[in-house]
Amino acid sequence: MSRKIILNLAISIDGYIASEDGGFDWIVGDGDKSLDTEKKWDFNGFLDTIDVVVMGKNCYDQNFHKDFKNKKVYIATSKDLKDYENIYFIKGDIVKTIEEEKQKNGENIFLFGGGKAINPFIKANIIDEYIIGIIPTILGKGRKLFLENNPKIDLHLDEYITDEGVVILRYSKR
């Protein structure tokens, strides 16, 4: 089975992945289990299927890379930074780097965030799966998942899970 590039993110109903200051404390359910599906989202199980994580410099600055010590982590950045341990800074074309990574043997590739880091992958239409958790919150403002001028991408709904008001939708490209 070939490697997949998988976007996995939580968004507010109005399309934000973080508050303006990068906060994510709003990413919680509503506590109501009455509409829960039997199957639950297993994030740790998902992590077992990936060995590469891609994130932007803002996520790195928030120390999200520390959650992925046993994975290869690529950081999209506009600065010249030195790689260390499992961290690789990519100043150039991150999409090209990840497309080359995808050709190698290994597990799946996790597009972690944020919007600016993910945007070129959406524009290049190389994301194999979109796993979107919709949080029952309208943020009003913040950091958007989808930036402007994307291509039209047709998807197929492969799975849905409801967990305390959070709806997790897993799509693949049609």
Side-chain angles (χ1 to χ4, degrees), residues 21-168:
D21 63 0
F24 52 90
D25 56 341
W26 55 273
I27 299 180
V28 291
D30 61 14
D32 181 352
K33 295 180 175 296
S34 63
L35 293 175
D36 282 13
T37 50
E38 205 170 297
K39 185 172 184 199
K40 300 291 176 236
W41 176 245
D42 179 4
F43 185 68
N44 290 327
F46 167 74
L47 289 181
D48 290 343
T49 70
I50 62 146
D51 62 4
V52 172
V53 179
V54 180
M55 67 179 69
K57 181 73 167 51
N58 285 341
C59 292
Y60 173 81
D61 290 341
Q62 287 179 272
N63 288 318
F64 285 119
H65 62 285
K66 291 183 175 171
D67 296 340
F68 305 108
K69 292 261 187 244
N70 61 341
K71 315 278 184 201
K72 193 171 187 180
V73 181
Y74 286 101
I75 314 293
T77 179
S78 58
K79 297 180 171 59
D80 285 311
L81 298 168
K82 205 164 171 44
D83 299 346
Y84 67 94
E85 293 165 13
N86 62 324
I87 308 297
Y88 300 87
F89 294 99
I90 307 296
K91 185 179 174 184
D93 185 348
I94 186 116
V95 171
K96 184 171 177 274
T97 301
I98 298 306
E99 281 184 309
E100 288 166 4
E101 183 70 51
K102 186 181 176 186
Q103 299 314 312
K104 299 175 190 167
N105 284 331
E107 302 288 326
N108 292 328
I109 298 165
F110 175 15
L111 295 185
F112 178 85
K116 274 193 215 144
I118 288 166
N119 187 49
F121 292 93
I122 296 169
K123 300 266 190 288
N125 193 10
I126 63 161
I127 300 170
D128 299 297
E129 259 183 48
Y130 291 79
I131 302 170
I132 308 286
I134 301 173
I135 309 301
T137 297
I138 295 171
L139 265 189
K141 57 186 176 180
R143 298 181 183 171
K144 282 195 163 298
L145 169 53
F146 296 105
L147 306 181
E148 300 296 313
N149 300 313
N150 291 314
K152 178 178 177 284
I153 301 171
D154 293 315
L155 303 172
H156 176 267
L157 180 64
D158 298 320
E159 181 179 33
Y160 66 90
I161 295 168
T162 311
D163 190 355
E164 292 190 22
V166 177
V167 180
I168 297 151

